[in-house]
Amino acid sequence: MKPTAFTYLLFILVSCQAPTATEQAKNEAETPALKEIQPMTELEEPVDVFEVLNLGWLTTTSGVASNTKDLKSCDWKEEGFFGFYFLIDQEKKGGPVGKLTVHAKDEDGWQFNNKTDEFARIELQTNRIKVWDTIGVGSTKSQLLVFLEPYDITNSDSIIKSQLDNYTAEFTIVGDTVNRLMIERNCKEKNTATNNK
């Protein structure tokens, strides 16, 4: 007996049933939840220096920063010096995906992963590190604007800048997505001038 068109149609309809409650629950459990973006109201440091330097997929090269005129003029650190870490994704086998600049006050000389390192600036071109555990490369422009909502924003098609309490932030937008970012600790002088406006 040869199958008819009705038999094929019946087979297709039976095959296209909605997933059961158990199947739907399993699919939802396997789908990673997206962190809901909220406006930031209290800001700690954008990243924990030691957490970043100890990421398993990350390797670094480091050196003493010589081009930090803008940071050296800050009165938040009168002694010590600035060091930097080029952040390299060792799994992707490419060049640096970011740069972390720190202030070090170790009198015995600076070494990798120095316990006196304090955050000064981070520049990122990777989605594997988030600032404030929320925003990073790959975030959408609308997510970024929600995050920056409580702060003054300068917004153009390709650059979004903002003063975030003790930090200055600059995000490069390509299409509708953050392509690179830079977060820098503000000088006390800049902070005072900004707050007196």
Side-chain angles (χ1 to χ4, degrees), residues 91-108:
E91 293 173 0
K92 294 193 178 178
K93 308 282 189 224
V97 295
K99 182 179 177 183
L100 176 63
T101 304
V102 297
H103 183 269
K105 56 185 174 190
D106 193 352
E107 296 167 3
D108 297 329

Side-chain angles (χ1 to χ4, degrees), residues 61 81 100:
T61 60
F81 53 92
L100 176 63

Side-chain angles (χ1 to χ4, degrees), residues 21-80:
T22 307
E23 291 171 333
Q24 191 168 355
K26 182 182 176 195
N27 289 341
E28 288 173 4
E30 291 174 353
T31 305
L34 295 175
K35 188 173 187 177
E36 187 174 327
I37 304 295
Q38 298 290 326
M40 283 304 282
T41 53
E42 293 182 31
L43 293 177
E44 297 178 5
E45 288 194 346
V47 295
D48 180 301
V49 169
F50 303 105
E51 278 183 24
V52 169
L53 295 177
N54 289 301
L55 291 169
W57 56 269
L58 187 72
T59 187
T60 63
T61 60
S62 58
V64 176
S66 60
N67 188 15
T68 54
K69 286 184 251 177
D70 51 337
L71 293 172
K72 285 181 181 176
S73 67
C74 294
D75 67 354
W76 61 280
K77 297 293 168 205
E78 303 233 351
E79 55 189 50

Side-chain angles (χ1 to χ4, degrees), residues 181-193:
L181 65 87
M182 186 280 299
I183 310 290
E184 177 178 272
R185 184 186 300 268
N186 287 339
C187 298
K188 286 183 182 175
E189 299 90 16
K190 286 183 192 175
N191 243 359
T192 304

Side-chain angles (χ1 to χ4, degrees), residues 11 15 17 24 26-28 32 46 60 66 82 91 94 99 115 141 143 156 165 167 173 177 180-181 191:
F11 177 73
S15 299
Q17 289 181 10
Q24 191 168 355
K26 182 182 176 195
N27 289 341
E28 288 173 4
T60 63
S66 60
F82 293 92
E91 293 173 0
K99 182 179 177 183
K115 298 300 181 212
K141 184 176 180 179
Q143 289 173 322
S156 72
D165 294 336
Y167 303 96
I173 307 296
T177 305
R180 67 185 310 151
L181 65 87
N191 243 359

Side-chain angles (χ1 to χ4, degrees), residues 83-148:
F84 67 85
Y85 298 93
F86 281 116
L87 310 175
I88 301 165
D89 187 335
Q90 61 186 347
E91 293 173 0
K92 294 193 178 178
K93 308 282 189 224
V97 295
K99 182 179 177 183
L100 176 63
T101 304
V102 297
H103 183 269
K105 56 185 174 190
D106 193 352
E107 296 167 3
D108 297 329
W110 183 59
Q111 300 173 11
F112 171 79
N113 215 354
N114 191 327
K115 298 300 181 212
T116 64
D117 286 355
E118 293 184 66
F119 175 85
R121 176 189 299 141
I122 192 163
E123 302 164 56
L124 292 172
Q125 299 170 22
T126 179
N127 64 355
R128 297 187 78 179
I129 300 172
K130 303 284 187 222
V131 291
W132 294 290
D133 292 325
T134 306
I135 292 294
V137 171
S139 297
T140 65
K141 184 176 180 179
S142 58
Q143 289 173 322
L144 177 61
L145 293 175
V146 168
F147 178 79
L148 297 174

